[in-house]
Amino acid sequence: MIHHLWTPPPVRSLPVRGRAERLPINRLFFVGRNYHAHAIEMGKPVDKANATLFYFTKAPQTLVESGATIAYPPGTANFHHEMELVVAIGKPGFRVARSDAHELVYGYACGLDMTRRDLQLVARAGAAVGPGQGRRLDDRPGAVISRSPLIPDPPGDIR
């Protein structure tokens, strides 16, 4: 039996539509500068032909299940929301060929990413995260819908 100095946080999980089992959450990865219209809105236009996406993470403890109430955070006057496509990865992989990547996907969901936009814009130095994101209780995905022949993969290159 492992003894911890303090109680570790519980494993976060999401409901899976049509199943009693839940999807455990180990890591949260995000892609930045992947949506041209939003990049323009944020003052960082993206030349899609030459754009370099960047990736960032958030702790699983930032997840809040859909339907929960989130208190307006202190220190901000602009608590901003963004809809996100959530891709639930169900198998490990490393340097996976693009043609095989879909085999790692367990399912999809919609998520609501909450950001303290004014703090983010002040603190940002070329990246999309900082004091404006990553705080507790700021990501609200819905139920995961598992991949199946009834739910085809999105067409084309999701970027």
Side-chain angles (χ1 to χ4, degrees), residues 4-66:
H4 298 281
L5 293 173
W6 51 82
T7 303
V11 173
R12 299 291 189 189
S13 64
L14 291 174
V16 177
R17 187 178 290 172
R19 299 194 62 151
E21 301 93 350
R22 294 175 63 92
L23 177 83
I25 305 300
N26 185 34
R27 295 184 183 125
L28 300 173
F29 290 96
F30 294 81
V31 180
R33 292 196 192 124
N34 60 324
Y35 184 53
H36 185 67
H38 179 56
I40 290 172
E41 173 191 4
M42 294 301 297
K44 296 273 187 180
V46 175
D47 175 1
K48 290 179 103 176
N50 298 314
T52 301
L53 302 178
F54 67 89
Y55 304 90
F56 58 98
T57 63
K58 293 185 188 181
Q61 290 79 15
T62 65
L63 284 177
V64 175
E65 208 164 306
S66 182

Side-chain angles (χ1 to χ4, degrees), residues 72-95:
Y72 198 94
T76 186
N78 187 2
F79 195 37
H80 188 89
H81 67 279
E82 297 175 11
M83 285 302 301
E84 304 286 355
L85 169 64
V86 176
V87 179
I89 305 298
K91 296 179 184 176
F94 181 71
R95 295 188 179 170

